[in-house]
Amino acid sequence: MVVFEVGQQSLALGNQFPRPPQRRRDGCSECRRKKVKCDLRRPVCSRCTRFPKECRYGLNFISERQRSRRQDTAEQPLRSPIKPNVRLCVDESSSILPRQLHLNPSPFLSTEESLFFLRLFATETAPRLFPAAPSIFVHQLVNRALETPHLLHALLASASSHHGRLVGDTAARSRTTTLKFTNFAVSGLRTALSTPEEMPKAETTMTALTLCTNDICNGNRDIWRAHLSGATRLLAAFLDRHTEAPSVADPFDLCLVKWFATLDIMANLTGISASPTDRDPCWYLDRIPGARVGYVDDISGYSPELIPMLAQLAQMANRQDVCMAAKHSAQFTLPQQLLEEARELECRIRSITDRSVSNSTSKNHDSALTVDLRHTHRAFVHASLLHLHRRVQLLPRDHSQVKEDITNIVNAVVNIDPLSPANILILWPMFSAGCETSFVSERDLIQNRMANMQSLGMGNYTRARDMLRLFWSSGSLLPWDVYFAEQGIQLVLF
C-alpha cells in the first residue's frame, strides 16, 4: 500500500547560537529508513530500482520564515520567536516547483483535507499528468487556482481520485470526496460561463480540461466528451480574444493550448471530434510557437509537426467507406485517390522520424529524460504509420509493413527506461502495438510497462490494460478501434 505523509510545519524557536547545518530529509522513504544518501531520482531512485514500490517521496512543507532563517543563519545568529500563523511554501528540495508556492489563507483551503490534496496535486498528481512539462506551468497552475475557486476544486478532485488509485482505495468515502470537489468545480464553472469577463479567461478553460482529463483517468466515458466539448468552445473564446498575437507567448497559456491539442488529437483518432465545424481541424496549431519546426514537445511527447498529420489520419480512418471496408474488407475496394493520399501522408510522417528536444526542455530536465523524449516521439511516429497501414490502407496484421511498424514501436519503448516518467506519454503507441502483435514477449513487455504506470495511479493505464486483455481474448482480426466501436466501447488513450 502506498502511504503519503505530509510533513509537519517546523516552527522551532530561535536561540542565541547559530544552528549547525541540518541533515537533508528530502530523500525517498527507503533511503531515509536506511540512513543512506539518496540521489533523488524520480519516480524511483537508483538504490530502489530492484524494489520500486518501496520508493516513496514524502510531502515536505516548511514555513517561509524557516526557509529564510536557513539561508542567513550565519549572518544573523539572533532570532525572535516565529509567529504561529505563517504562510506555507513548498520546500524546493523535495518539490518540482522552482519557486515558492504561497498557500495564502483562503476559505477554499480551510480544511486539512483540501490543503493535503492541493499539496498532493503539486508534488504527485501534476508530475504524473505532465512528466516533461516545464515546472513553471505547474507552479502557475496551482497559484492561479488559489485565486480561482472552480479551478482549485478541479485540481482537488484530480488529486483526490489520483490518491484513491494510488492507495487502492475503492471505498465509498474516497469516491464521495472526489465527487464533492468535482461538483464544486462544475458549479463554479457554470457560474463563470454566465459571466462575460470570466468565460474567456485561461483559468476557465483549464478547469474544463482538468475535469476532462480526470474523467478519462477515471473511465467516465460519457462525461469527458461534454467537458472536452466545453473546453473547445472556451479555448476558442480565449484565443479569439487575443487575435492580435500570432502565437501564444505566455508559458502557462502555451501549455494550456498544447494540453488541449493532445486531448483533441487523441479523441479524433478514436472517431470523436470536438472541434468547431467551421474551423480547420488544427485551428489552434498556429498559436503554438515553433509548431512547424522540429522539436519534441514537452506536453505531448512528440513534435507538433505530427499534429496535422494525425488530424488528417483521423479524418481518413473515420470515413464511412473506410470504416465499412475495415469491417467487410472482401466486399469493398478503397478509392484510388484515398490510397494515393495515404502514400503521400506516409512519406510526410516518415520525414519527421528523428527529432530532438528544444533547448528550453534540455535546460528544464536531466539528460536521461531528454533522451527518453526522443524515443517517445519515435514511438508516436511509428504508431501513426501503424494506424495508417491498418486503418486506412487496411493491410492485414501479418503484412510485413505492419510487422515492421510494431517492431519499431517496441524498439522505441525498449529504449526508454522502464521506470522513466516518459512512459506515461506513450499510452497510444503502446496500446496500438499491443493490440496488433501476436508475440507473447512483446505483449508481456507492453503489459509490464503499463503496470509500472498503473502503479503510479494512472487510471487511463488501468483501463487500457483491461481493454488489451479483452481484445486479446476476443481473437478479433479487426483493427482495435473498429472492434471497440462495434462493442460500444470508447477509449481515449491520453
Side-chain angles (χ1 to χ4, degrees):
M1 175 178 292
V2 182
V3 179
F4 289 90
E5 296 179 357
V6 181
Q8 296 297 317
Q9 185 181 358
S10 176
L11 299 176
L13 300 181
N15 52 48
Q16 297 180 357
F17 306 99
R19 291 186 177 184
Q22 294 187 359
R23 182 169 62 89
R24 291 186 68 174
R25 301 178 181 275
D26 52 349
C28 76
S29 56
E30 277 297 284
C31 289
R32 284 188 283 113
R33 183 177 68 82
K34 296 177 181 178
K35 298 182 179 179
V36 295
K37 186 176 181 181
C38 180
D39 62 7
L40 304 179
R41 183 175 180 179
R42 295 177 185 250
V44 179
C45 76
S46 298
R47 289 181 178 273
C48 295
T49 52
R50 291 184 59 193
F51 307 100
K53 291 187 177 180
E54 303 300 324
C55 187
R56 295 285 177 249
Y57 289 90
L59 307 182
N60 185 22
F61 291 81
I62 64 173
S63 71
E64 288 182 57
R65 296 189 181 185
Q66 185 184 0
R67 178 192 301 280
S68 176
R69 71 182 280 156
R70 283 184 182 179
Q71 295 174 343
D72 56 10
T73 296
E75 298 177 2
Q76 300 181 20
L78 297 180
R79 290 283 179 254
S80 58
I82 299 177
K83 297 180 181 180
N85 295 324
V86 296
R87 292 185 300 178
L88 298 180
C89 65
V90 178
D91 184 354
E92 292 172 10
S93 65
S94 64
S95 169
I96 60 168
L97 304 183
R99 300 185 179 88
Q100 291 180 342
L101 172 64
H102 298 285
L103 303 185
N104 298 318
S106 166
F108 310 111
L109 290 175
S110 59
T111 66
E112 288 295 328
E113 179 185 58
S114 59
L115 184 59
F116 168 77
F117 283 126
L118 183 61
R119 291 167 170 171
L120 182 69
F121 180 86
T123 58
E124 294 290 333
T125 306
R128 300 294 175 255
L129 294 174
F130 312 103
S135 53
I136 188 63
F137 169 61
V138 180
H139 175 67
Q140 288 198 30
L141 175 58
V142 175
N143 275 288
R144 293 193 185 198
L146 293 173
E147 301 174 356
T148 314
H150 53 79
L151 176 56
L152 175 61
H153 286 125
L155 301 190
L156 297 179
S158 181
S160 174
S161 60
H162 181 217
H163 178 262
R165 293 189 297 269
L166 278 171
V167 302
D169 184 5
T170 58
R173 179 178 179 182
S174 177
R175 295 195 300 270
T176 300
T177 301
T178 302
L179 183 60
K180 174 185 67 177
F181 289 133
T182 300
N183 288 339
F184 285 150
V186 172
S187 176
L189 183 59
R190 288 173 177 169
T191 301
L193 294 179
S194 63
T195 309
E197 61 271 19
E198 292 293 325
M199 181 175 175
K201 286 186 176 180
E203 292 84 353
T204 307
T205 306
M206 189 64 74
T207 298
L209 280 180
T210 303
L211 292 172
C212 179
T213 303
N214 198 32
D215 292 333
I216 293 173
C217 290
N218 285 333
N220 299 331
R221 294 181 296 170
D222 299 327
I223 304 175
W224 74 264
R225 297 179 62 179
H227 287 153
L228 180 60
S229 178
T232 304
R233 294 192 297 271
L234 291 171
L235 181 66
F238 170 72
L239 294 179
D240 288 345
R241 189 178 181 181
H242 300 81
T243 53
E244 69 282 355
S247 62
V248 177
D250 182 88
F252 179 84
D253 296 343
L254 176 59
C255 288
L256 165 64
V257 176
K258 294 192 292 186
W259 181 0
F260 171 82
T262 304
L263 281 172
D264 184 57
I265 284 296
M266 287 299 106
N268 285 337
L269 285 170
T270 53
I272 301 166
S273 177
S275 296
T277 56
D278 59 337
R279 294 175 182 258
D280 182 87
C282 300
W283 54 274
Y284 43 76
L285 191 62
D286 290 336
R287 299 304 185 97
I288 302 177
R292 310 295 179 180
V293 181
Y295 68 89
V296 182
D297 181 60
D298 48 14
I299 295 292
S300 66
Y302 53 84
S303 171
E305 297 168 288
L306 194 58
I307 291 178
M309 302 180 199
L310 290 174
Q312 181 182 356
L313 181 59
Q315 287 182 327
M316 296 168 69
N318 293 323
R319 283 178 45 159
Q320 185 176 3
D321 54 349
V322 175
C323 291
M324 291 299 295
K327 297 176 183 178
H328 312 284
S329 56
Q331 303 176 22
F332 286 84
T333 301
L334 294 177
Q336 185 63 29
Q337 182 180 355
L338 177 65
L339 295 178
E340 292 177 359
E341 183 182 349
R343 285 192 287 269
E344 186 272 337
L345 177 59
E346 179 173 353
C347 292
R348 288 166 51 208
I349 294 175
R350 291 187 183 279
S351 70
I352 64 168
T353 299
D354 294 311
R355 290 292 182 265
S356 58
V357 300
S358 64
N359 291 333
S360 60
T361 301
S362 297
K363 293 177 182 178
N364 287 330
H365 301 288
D366 58 41
S367 58
L369 182 59
T370 57
V371 171
D372 287 341
L373 288 176
R374 296 182 64 180
H375 295 297
T376 63
H377 170 77
R378 292 179 67 90
F380 271 97
V381 166
H382 293 300
S384 302
L385 293 173
L386 176 61
H387 201 77
L388 178 67
H389 293 146
R390 285 287 284 144
R391 280 291 284 112
V392 179
Q393 296 178 332
L394 303 181
L395 301 181
R397 191 170 294 166
D398 58 356
H399 193 281
S400 60
Q401 200 80 56
V402 174
K403 291 182 177 180
E404 180 182 342
D405 296 333
I406 297 172
T407 299
N408 288 332
I409 295 172
V410 171
N411 288 340
V413 173
V414 169
N415 284 321
I416 299 172
D417 188 288
L419 298 175
S420 170
N423 287 282
I424 294 173
L425 301 171
I426 55 172
L427 178 55
W428 182 60
M430 282 199 287
F431 187 86
S432 298
C435 284
E436 301 295 355
T437 183
S438 57
F439 290 105
V440 174
S441 59
E442 293 178 343
R443 289 184 175 185
D444 288 344
L445 169 69
I446 291 171
Q447 277 282 356
N448 290 336
R449 288 297 178 99
M450 288 188 171
N452 289 343
M453 300 304 101
Q454 183 179 348
S455 69
L456 298 177
M458 301 303 296
N460 45 355
Y461 271 87
T462 302
R463 181 165 169 75
R465 291 187 74 203
D466 293 340
M467 294 300 100
L468 262 183
R469 288 189 285 265
L470 175 63
F471 186 72
W472 290 337
S473 64
S474 72
S476 175
L477 297 179
L478 292 173
W480 64 265
D481 60 328
V482 175
Y483 170 79
F484 287 126
E486 286 190 340
Q487 303 300 313
I489 299 174
Q490 293 178 359
L491 188 64
V492 178
L493 301 172
F494 170 79

